[in-house]
Amino acid sequence: MADFGYDVADLKDIDPIFGTMEDFDALVARAKELDIKIILDFVPNHTSDECDWFVRSAAGEEEYKDFYVWHTGKVVNGIRQPPTNWLSVFRGSMWTWNEQRQAYYLHQFHAKQPDLNYRNPKVVEAMKDVLRFWLRKGAYGFRIDAVPHVYEVPADADGNWPDEPRNEEVSDPEDYTYLQHIYTTDQPETLELVYAFRDVIEEIDAELGGDDRVLLTEAYSPLEVLMQYYGNGTHLGSQIPFNFELLAKISYSSDAYHYSELIHNWLDNMPEGQVANWVFGNHDQSRIGSRLGADRIDACNMIIMGLPGLSVTYQGEEMGMTDVWISWEDTVDPQACQSNEQEFERLTRDPVRTPFQWSDEVNAGFSNASVTWLPVASNYKLVNVKKERGIALSHLNVYKQLRALRDEPTLKQGDVSVTAIGPNVLAFKRSLAGYKSYITLININDDVESINLDSVFTALSTQLKYVVVNDKSVRRKNDLTFANSVLLLPKEAVVLSTV
């Protein structure tokens, strides 16, 4: 738990903190009854330093000696130093000295998370076996963590690596962004590894049958790299390379043109036959309501639920949870704890990881403990599942309506046309021959907008019906409007259908 479970000590067991293997089996069995698929978080880049593999590697055992990345360092003026200037994501050097091995080991993240050496074929095979183990246990796929970090540039003939160049815009020499990570991220071999993992998925699909098993890959990489995660025409890759375009690039001040551009970036560059995915929130970024404004929560959910492909929702975004301010004293995120009281707020991910708000009971109904791991949001009595179930246009009920709409053939299979109508209004139309068309309209800002949809989209009926509205709207579900004069109030977000 040096990094909340991302430091795995045993890749084929359940940590007692979370339960037992019997609990996992029961979870899978119950999920099957409910037609829910369990996807596991898979951390290929590193293990815990308490992992048996690392213990044996540090001891120099032949079988495991090269399971991790080791180097004796360099001696400068009689002082031993790390072999490169590489910086950890969690601040400071990527290299930590191990007394037993008398060498430095590489860790792109926390010092308790030594990096595996994927240039050793035995490591690749061992990790493929981990995937097979959990798939045979009933998992239906994996969200693969921190994929771009898995490989570093190959060492030269002498076993050394180059230093990474400076990023002149950053002055803190301990900060990860102080360097340009051209030798430690997005190496070409990374894609080959993803393809190898997909081969395991296909192998188990053939062995066990049932619905397709799935890979989701987490990478904040250039778009042209992400598109290769899908596959290269010869090899299949990840079905869901997470699309962080909206998550990472939309800001409070973004206009409709920016939204449209980022949506088109994915749709227009995606390989033929692949499926898009849309993400506005995750466990590493400020929540939608805090980042973009609470009055845009429904709009963001309409975007991810209405566009073609897969919608990815971070827990709590369906009901509008917001960030919780957490003091330096209460901070537990290692990314922040390894900094200082002046820097921690910029680095901490704790504010988006607070307890889920189920009800207005103690600890928001999340826990009966006297103290929770992170503090519960102060607004939990107003923002919780129980309360929002009873409010017609709560974020939760709007989300549920959007979810139900996704069962319509038009939203499952239909084409899409996405455009900005001026700087304030994002519009997209889903259409499928023989079925109703659906038009999503989002007023991003605070002006009243009058829209002539006939000048934007073709093949609309004269009148359109309101299918979903948010609480900014004076309209109600099933109200009618004319296609050539749709009025949008400030921050109003609606879905219309042809009649």
Side-chain angles (χ1 to χ4, degrees):
M1 288 298 285
D3 188 20
F4 308 152
Y6 285 89
D7 46 323
V8 181
D10 188 336
L11 290 122
K12 293 183 178 178
D13 204 356
I14 303 292
D15 191 298
I17 290 173
F18 303 112
T20 64
M21 190 62 83
E22 289 70 29
D23 294 329
F24 176 79
D25 293 339
L27 174 69
V28 169
R30 181 65 178 132
K32 187 174 182 180
E33 291 173 10
L34 297 170
D35 197 25
I36 291 171
K37 303 292 190 292
I38 300 297
I39 294 171
L40 295 179
D41 218 341
F42 177 56
V43 188
N45 181 66
H46 48 259
T47 67
S48 167
D49 64 347
E50 296 170 35
C51 177
D52 185 56
W53 296 350
F54 185 76
V55 172
R56 292 177 170 208
S57 189
E61 280 192 31
E62 191 59 36
E63 178 70 15
Y64 293 96
K65 190 174 60 148
D66 296 325
F67 254 56
Y68 297 83
V69 182
W70 294 95
H71 196 284
T72 52
K74 57 189 178 185
V75 178
V76 180
N77 297 328
I79 299 170
R80 190 171 295 280
Q81 296 181 359
T84 68
N85 69 343
W86 297 352
L87 289 169
S88 156
V89 176
F90 288 174
R91 293 180 65 82
S93 177
M94 238 186 233
W95 299 96
T96 290
W97 181 256
N98 180 274
E99 276 295 326
Q100 183 182 17
R101 177 83 178 238
Q102 287 291 294
Y104 291 95
Y105 64 88
L106 181 79
H107 53 91
Q108 291 222 27
F109 293 87
H110 196 284
K112 286 186 70 65
Q113 295 170 301
D115 271 41
L116 287 161
N117 174 20
Y118 279 89
R119 298 195 183 279
N120 179 350
K122 290 180 180 177
V123 171
V124 177
E125 287 308 310
M127 294 304 266
K128 285 163 70 172
D129 275 344
V130 171
L131 296 181
R132 292 185 185 101
F133 174 84
W134 291 107
L135 291 167
R136 288 172 179 145
K137 291 286 290 182
Y140 258 85
F142 304 91
R143 175 256 186 198
I144 308 181
D145 177 67
V147 190
H149 300 271
V150 168
Y151 278 91
E152 299 75 39
V153 71
D156 65 18
D158 297 321
N160 297 316
W161 297 274
D163 282 345
E164 291 192 312
R166 277 273 284 115
N167 172 10
E168 298 296 342
E169 295 178 10
V170 177
S171 57
D172 180 354
E174 296 283 294
D175 193 277
Y176 182 64
T177 58
Y178 185 75
L179 300 177
Q180 299 174 45
H181 302 288
I182 60 173
Y183 298 130
T184 56
T185 60
D186 289 322
Q187 301 305 304
E189 297 91 338
T190 305
L191 293 164
E192 299 300 325
L193 184 67
V194 172
Y195 303 158
F197 289 160
R198 177 62 182 272
D199 287 344
V200 174
I201 293 285
E202 297 296 312
E203 170 198 325
I204 300 295
D205 277 346
E207 176 187 316
L208 299 180
D211 292 332
D212 288 348
R213 287 152 186 86
V214 68
L215 291 181
L216 307 89
T217 43
E218 182 207 31
Y220 293 87
S221 297
L223 196 66
E224 62 271 16
V225 175
L226 290 175
M227 291 303 154
Q228 295 176 69
Y229 274 80
Y230 277 119
N232 64 0
T234 312
H235 291 92
L236 296 169
S238 165
Q239 296 102 322
I240 309 171
F242 277 126
N243 172 5
F244 294 139
E245 290 283 285
L246 297 169
L247 171 69
K249 296 177 181 177
I250 288 293
S251 69
Y252 185 85
S253 59
S254 292
D255 62 16
Y257 296 114
H258 194 201
Y259 281 76
S260 178
E261 177 192 4
L262 293 174
I263 291 166
H264 275 285
N265 276 355
W266 200 271
L267 291 174
D268 298 348
N269 287 287
M270 195 171 60
E272 190 72 31
Q274 298 294 343
V275 178
N277 70 87
W278 310 100
V279 186
F280 255 118
N282 71 14
H283 65 302
D284 289 332
Q285 309 293 331
S286 178
R287 287 190 175 275
I288 292 170
S290 298
R291 192 170 78 246
L292 304 177
D295 48 8
R296 290 183 178 137
I297 291 168
D298 296 328
C300 293
N301 284 333
M302 283 188 189
I303 291 170
I304 67 166
M305 300 290 263
L307 289 169
L310 298 148
S311 67
V312 181
T313 299
Y314 176 53
Q315 53 88 7
E317 300 292 18
E318 72 277 30
M319 62 159 164
M321 283 178 61
T322 47
D323 293 354
V324 178
W325 185 81
I326 293 170
S327 70
W328 169 244
E329 288 72 26
D330 291 333
T331 295
V332 294
D333 180 4
Q335 184 166 293
C337 290
Q338 295 199 175
S339 65
N340 53 64
E341 195 166 352
Q342 287 68 48
E343 293 284 328
F344 85 99
E345 285 188 71
R346 178 176 64 83
L347 298 166
T348 182
R349 298 163 297 177
D350 291 337
V352 307
R353 298 176 174 186
T354 55
F356 189 83
Q357 291 154 224
W358 288 106
S359 70
D360 58 4
E361 294 161 17
V362 175
N363 292 329
F366 179 83
S367 170
N368 57 13
S370 56
V371 178
T372 51
W373 172 244
L374 288 168
V376 176
S378 59
N379 68 351
Y380 78 89
K381 293 199 172 183
L382 296 173
V383 180
N384 64 70
V385 171
K386 183 180 178 183
K387 185 174 183 67
E388 290 196 21
R389 279 177 175 157
I391 300 171
L393 293 180
S394 68
H395 298 307
L396 180 63
N397 281 328
V398 169
Y399 185 92
K400 286 182 174 181
Q401 290 178 59
L402 295 168
R403 169 62 193 86
L405 202 59
R406 286 170 66 81
D407 290 331
E408 293 291 324
T410 305
L411 269 79
K412 281 186 172 181
Q413 303 158 31
D415 294 332
V416 68
S417 175
V418 182
T419 189
I421 307 173
N424 292 335
V425 178
L426 177 72
F428 57 90
K429 176 191 175 191
R430 302 293 308 279
S431 53
L432 182 66
Y435 293 91
K436 289 179 181 177
S437 293
Y438 291 89
I439 302 96
T440 299
L441 294 175
I442 290 160
N443 188 357
I444 291 165
N445 291 315
D446 292 325
D447 297 325
V448 176
E449 300 283 342
S450 182
I451 308 299
N452 177 4
L453 287 175
D454 285 331
S455 68
V456 181
F457 300 120
T458 58
L460 295 179
S461 52
T462 304
Q463 284 191 307
L464 300 171
K465 181 189 288 187
Y466 285 86
V467 180
V468 182
V469 300
N470 72 344
D471 65 355
K472 305 293 183 277
S473 182
V474 294
R475 298 292 195 153
R476 289 295 171 259
K477 188 175 180 178
N478 296 324
D479 282 359
L480 298 175
T481 186
F482 289 100
N484 63 5
S485 59
V486 180
L487 198 68
L488 287 176
L489 296 179
K491 303 285 175 48
E492 185 175 3
V494 298
V495 182
L496 305 167
S497 76
T498 51
V499 178

